[in-house]
Amino acid sequence: MKKGYLSLLLLLSMASLPTGLLAQNLKIYSLTGLTVGSPLGEIPEGATGAPGTDIHLGLSFVGRLATMPAWSLGLDAIYTRQKSTYASPITGETTVSTEVFGIDLSWPFPVSYEGQAEGAYDNRYREFDLWIRRGQNRWQGGIGVYYAQLIKGQNKGAVDIRVANLFNIENEPFDESAFVNTQDWGLLAGFSVRVFWRASLYFRAKVGMMPVMSQNPEGLEGIYRNVYLSTGVKFLLLDLP
């Protein structure tokens, strides 16, 4: 949580650099595109998954550095929806109470279980990207950092479990959405190419530094971070002198 707030403060402080550092022109672009990817981490043996795809929308504010005309600073405000699906083996231990001849045994005994969990992420964020870019003509490339606030998070699905040799639990729903982290921050890199007068194509890669989940569902292990690619069209709305 603290790292996320520090990242936001860094974004705001860098975005509020003295105006004397920027040339007088400010460009404002619309951003429309697709985001594809998945939370990634250590993958358990036998686990599978598929990246998800959804839209992102936003605005980009770009000002050129007065002292270095080939360089510019950009601040993007984006709504993004990040999806993916997964299937993973689960193992662990639990306790079972039982009855013998109608007598309720008051001492639960431990047993092991194993099974398969299938679920999906569907997380929506408001995101702020701070860029430094190089390029004056058709091509531009840059690196930066981002900070994201969760609007709505979802991680839910169903599990099939075999408890020792006692019984099976099939298609039992689970919902771990309450444990999706409310903040994320990370690193980004990308480039854009102008295709005609006001429109450019852009490509970006983002790697999160925070775990997607504040805690994992029981039986699942590992730390997973957002890794997503995005592409789209940015359109020049305003070119202020």
Side-chain angles (χ1 to χ4, degrees):
M1 297 286 284
K2 292 183 178 179
K3 290 182 179 179
Y5 285 122
L6 289 174
S7 181
L8 178 60
L9 290 173
L10 177 63
L11 283 171
L12 294 175
S13 62
M14 294 182 70
S16 60
L17 289 171
T19 55
L21 292 177
L22 300 178
Q24 292 302 306
N25 74 306
L26 172 68
K27 296 182 179 181
I28 302 176
Y29 298 87
S30 65
L31 304 173
T32 306
L34 296 175
T35 299
V36 58
S38 174
L40 291 180
E42 184 179 351
I43 301 176
E45 183 178 354
T48 61
T53 303
D54 214 292
I55 64 168
H56 64 263
L57 302 168
L59 292 173
S60 179
F61 304 86
V62 181
R64 196 167 299 281
L65 294 176
T67 55
M68 295 182 291
W71 293 85
S72 59
L73 285 178
L75 179 63
D76 302 345
I78 301 171
Y79 163 83
T80 181
R81 187 174 182 180
Q82 299 177 353
K83 294 181 176 180
S84 67
T85 60
Y86 61 89
S88 178
I90 58 174
T91 59
E93 290 190 348
T94 187
T95 56
V96 175
S97 296
T98 188
E99 289 187 359
V100 177
F101 296 107
I103 302 172
D104 184 13
L105 298 180
S106 59
W107 55 91
F109 57 91
V111 296
S112 61
Y113 66 86
E114 60 182 17
Q116 182 87 352
E118 296 184 4
Y121 289 99
D122 185 358
N123 299 332
R124 307 178 192 196
Y125 296 94
R126 61 174 66 90
E127 185 179 300
F128 304 94
D129 301 349
L130 182 65
W131 288 85
I132 183 165
R133 298 184 177 98
R134 192 179 193 282
Q136 289 181 282
N137 298 315
R138 188 181 179 194
W139 292 85
Q140 284 192 334
I143 58 174
V145 296
Y146 75 85
Y147 171 77
Q149 294 177 322
L150 186 70
I151 300 172
K152 182 180 180 181
Q154 179 176 294
N155 176 16
K156 62 182 182 179
V159 296
D160 295 331
I161 298 174
R162 175 69 173 170
V163 181
N165 291 316
L166 301 176
F167 55 87
N168 295 331
I169 300 175
E170 296 184 355
N171 202 33
E172 180 71 16
F174 70 86
D175 189 345
E176 300 292 324
S177 303
F179 301 110
V180 177
N181 262 327
T182 58
Q183 300 181 82
D184 187 27
W185 72 276
L187 307 177
L188 56 87
F191 67 92
S192 65
V193 55
R194 191 172 68 248
V195 292
F196 64 89
W197 179 46
R198 284 180 174 263
S200 299
L201 296 177
Y202 60 85
F203 304 87
R204 301 175 176 180
K206 299 179 181 180
V207 179
M209 295 291 106
M210 289 187 67
V212 176
M213 302 293 294
S214 60
Q215 70 179 56
N216 286 333
E218 186 177 352
L220 292 177
E221 298 181 355
I223 296 175
Y224 298 88
R225 297 179 172 87
N226 282 323
V227 179
Y228 282 85
L229 303 176
S230 60
T231 184
V233 176
K234 66 177 185 179
F235 189 84
L236 181 61
L237 301 176
L238 290 174
D239 189 355
L240 303 177

